[in-house]
Tab-separated table of all heavy atoms in Angstrom:
chain	number	residue	atom	x	y	z
Y	33	TYR	N	-27.191	193.473	111.253
Y	33	TYR	CA	-26.466	194.163	112.297
Y	33	TYR	C	-26.151	193.201	113.419
Y	33	TYR	O	-26.911	192.222	113.679
Y	33	TYR	CB	-27.346	195.338	112.881
Y	33	TYR	CG	-27.715	196.353	111.859
Y	33	TYR	CD1	-29.050	196.681	111.611
Y	33	TYR	CD2	-26.715	196.960	111.066
Y	33	TYR	CE1	-29.427	197.595	110.694
Y	33	TYR	CE2	-27.090	197.899	110.122
Y	33	TYR	CZ	-28.413	198.182	109.945
Y	33	TYR	OH	-28.802	199.153	108.990
Y	57	ALA	N	-34.823	211.264	109.489
Y	57	ALA	CA	-33.725	210.566	108.797
Y	57	ALA	C	-32.571	211.448	108.510
Y	57	ALA	O	-31.385	211.132	108.710
Y	57	ALA	CB	-34.184	209.932	107.477
Y	60	VAL	N	-30.916	212.178	111.912
Y	60	VAL	CA	-30.121	211.028	112.419
Y	60	VAL	C	-28.810	210.969	111.688
Y	60	VAL	O	-27.751	210.704	112.294
Y	60	VAL	CB	-30.932	209.737	112.166
Y	60	VAL	CG1	-30.093	208.520	112.408
Y	60	VAL	CG2	-32.106	209.730	113.173
Y	61	ARG	N	-28.832	211.180	110.371
Y	61	ARG	CA	-27.538	211.099	109.599
Y	61	ARG	C	-26.588	212.259	109.996
Y	61	ARG	O	-25.417	212.014	110.169
Y	61	ARG	CB	-27.859	211.143	108.133
Y	61	ARG	CG	-26.532	211.196	107.305
Y	61	ARG	CD	-26.970	211.026	105.792
Y	61	ARG	NE	-25.781	211.206	104.936
Y	61	ARG	CZ	-25.413	212.377	104.378
Y	61	ARG	NH1	-26.106	213.453	104.503
Y	61	ARG	NH2	-24.320	212.383	103.619
Y	65	TYR	N	-25.039	209.040	113.070
Y	65	TYR	CA	-25.492	207.620	113.049
Y	65	TYR	C	-25.356	207.105	111.596
Y	65	TYR	O	-25.630	207.763	110.586
Y	65	TYR	CB	-26.936	207.525	113.488
Y	65	TYR	CG	-27.171	207.744	114.989
Y	65	TYR	CD1	-27.586	209.050	115.404
Y	65	TYR	CD2	-26.922	206.796	115.922
Y	65	TYR	CE1	-27.828	209.299	116.731
Y	65	TYR	CE2	-27.143	207.071	117.272
Y	65	TYR	CZ	-27.581	208.267	117.661
Y	65	TYR	OH	-27.723	208.527	119.003
Y	66	ARG	N	-24.926	205.833	111.493
Y	66	ARG	CA	-24.738	205.220	110.174
Y	66	ARG	C	-25.517	203.892	110.058
Y	66	ARG	O	-25.922	203.539	109.004
Y	66	ARG	CB	-23.276	204.972	109.945
Y	66	ARG	CG	-22.410	206.236	109.830
Y	66	ARG	CD	-22.888	206.998	108.556
Y	66	ARG	NE	-22.148	208.257	108.394
Y	66	ARG	CZ	-22.607	209.456	108.780
Y	66	ARG	NH1	-23.792	209.500	109.461
Y	66	ARG	NH2	-21.923	210.548	108.631
Y	67	HIS	N	-25.708	203.161	111.177
Y	67	HIS	CA	-26.464	201.903	111.068
Y	67	HIS	C	-27.927	202.175	111.392
Y	67	HIS	O	-28.444	201.879	112.489
Y	67	HIS	CB	-25.916	200.905	112.081
Y	67	HIS	CG	-24.503	200.441	111.735
Y	67	HIS	ND1	-23.866	199.463	112.384
Y	67	HIS	CD2	-23.690	200.853	110.751
Y	67	HIS	CE1	-22.687	199.325	111.895
Y	67	HIS	NE2	-22.534	200.096	110.885
Y	68	PHE	N	-28.671	202.706	110.433
Y	68	PHE	CA	-30.069	202.994	110.617
Y	68	PHE	C	-30.804	202.796	109.332
Y	68	PHE	O	-30.195	202.746	108.216
Y	68	PHE	CB	-30.348	204.392	111.168
Y	68	PHE	CG	-30.096	205.486	110.148
Y	68	PHE	CD1	-31.158	206.038	109.429
Y	68	PHE	CD2	-28.814	206.000	109.925
Y	68	PHE	CE1	-30.945	207.000	108.513
Y	68	PHE	CE2	-28.583	207.020	109.030
Y	68	PHE	CZ	-29.616	207.526	108.313
Y	69	ASP	N	-32.099	202.587	109.403
Y	69	ASP	CA	-32.938	202.403	108.225
Y	69	ASP	C	-34.336	202.929	108.460
Y	69	ASP	O	-34.742	203.121	109.620
Y	69	ASP	CB	-33.007	200.870	107.900
Y	69	ASP	CG	-33.396	200.596	106.462
Y	69	ASP	OD1	-33.647	201.603	105.717
Y	69	ASP	OD2	-33.480	199.439	106.050
Y	70	THR	N	-35.004	203.227	107.349
Y	70	THR	CA	-36.377	203.778	107.414
Y	70	THR	C	-37.297	202.787	106.804
Y	70	THR	O	-36.952	202.040	105.907
Y	70	THR	CB	-36.489	205.143	106.780
Y	70	THR	OG1	-36.073	205.002	105.412
Y	70	THR	CG2	-35.632	206.154	107.461
Y	83	MET	N	-30.818	209.920	103.818
Y	83	MET	CA	-30.093	208.873	104.521
Y	83	MET	C	-28.599	208.809	104.037
Y	83	MET	O	-27.786	208.066	104.677
Y	83	MET	CB	-30.755	207.526	104.334
Y	83	MET	CG	-32.161	207.404	104.884
Y	83	MET	SD	-32.919	205.828	104.551
Y	83	MET	CE	-31.805	204.704	105.430
Y	181	LEU	N	-38.477	204.511	111.901
Y	181	LEU	CA	-37.061	204.637	111.731
Y	181	LEU	C	-36.339	203.751	112.769
Y	181	LEU	O	-36.678	203.818	113.987
Y	181	LEU	CB	-36.572	206.099	111.848
Y	181	LEU	CG	-35.130	206.380	111.526
Y	181	LEU	CD1	-34.980	207.805	111.012
Y	181	LEU	CD2	-34.217	206.230	112.802
Y	182	HIS	N	-35.414	202.949	112.309
Y	182	HIS	CA	-34.775	201.956	113.219
Y	182	HIS	C	-33.253	202.307	113.277
Y	182	HIS	O	-32.639	202.403	112.220
Y	182	HIS	CB	-34.949	200.532	112.751
Y	182	HIS	CG	-34.076	199.541	113.446
Y	182	HIS	ND1	-32.987	198.978	112.862
Y	182	HIS	CD2	-34.125	199.040	114.712
Y	182	HIS	CE1	-32.403	198.118	113.710
Y	182	HIS	NE2	-33.108	198.211	114.874
Y	183	ILE	N	-32.716	202.481	114.499
Y	183	ILE	CA	-31.319	202.640	114.660
Y	183	ILE	C	-30.749	201.409	115.377
Y	183	ILE	O	-31.261	201.039	116.437
Y	183	ILE	CB	-31.015	203.914	115.577
Y	183	ILE	CG1	-31.513	205.150	114.884
Y	183	ILE	CG2	-29.522	204.003	115.805
Y	183	ILE	CD1	-31.256	206.449	115.664
Side-chain angles (χ1 to χ4, degrees):
Y33 303 123
V60 168
R61 177 172 174 264
Y65 291 96
R66 292 296 178 264
H67 293 185
F68 72 96
D69 201 359
T70 58
M83 296 178 63
L181 188 148
H182 170 252
I183 299 181

